[in-house]
Amino acid sequence: MADYQNPPVEDPSASTQMFRAFVDEPQPKPATAVSESSRTGVITVGVIVALAIIAAVVYLAVK
């Protein structure tokens, strides 16, 4: 049977070691220009497709 009256004793140095490991962790590299250019390309294609759809709707409405 478990003894729920006495909580486990925590080691305060373990928390400090875990914090230091977290702080000393190397930071990820920032995004490169390749991902930005591909995002820009996708946005550009999306805008062109949206304009083509709007133009087609306006053409059909006027016709």
Side-chain angles (χ1 to χ4, degrees):
M1 186 168 163
D3 183 17
Y4 294 109
Q5 297 295 326
N6 297 325
V9 178
E10 294 185 20
D11 183 11
S13 66
S15 296
T16 303
Q17 290 171 350
M18 291 171 59
F19 176 73
R20 285 186 180 164
F22 171 75
V23 171
D24 293 338
E25 185 175 279
Q27 299 298 322
K29 294 181 181 180
T32 61
V34 173
S35 65
E36 291 177 9
S37 66
S38 65
R39 181 185 300 166
T40 304
V42 169
I43 292 172
T44 303
V45 169
V47 168
I48 291 171
V49 169
L51 289 175
I53 291 172
I54 292 171
V57 169
V58 169
Y59 174 76
L60 292 174
V62 171
K63 185 176 177 185

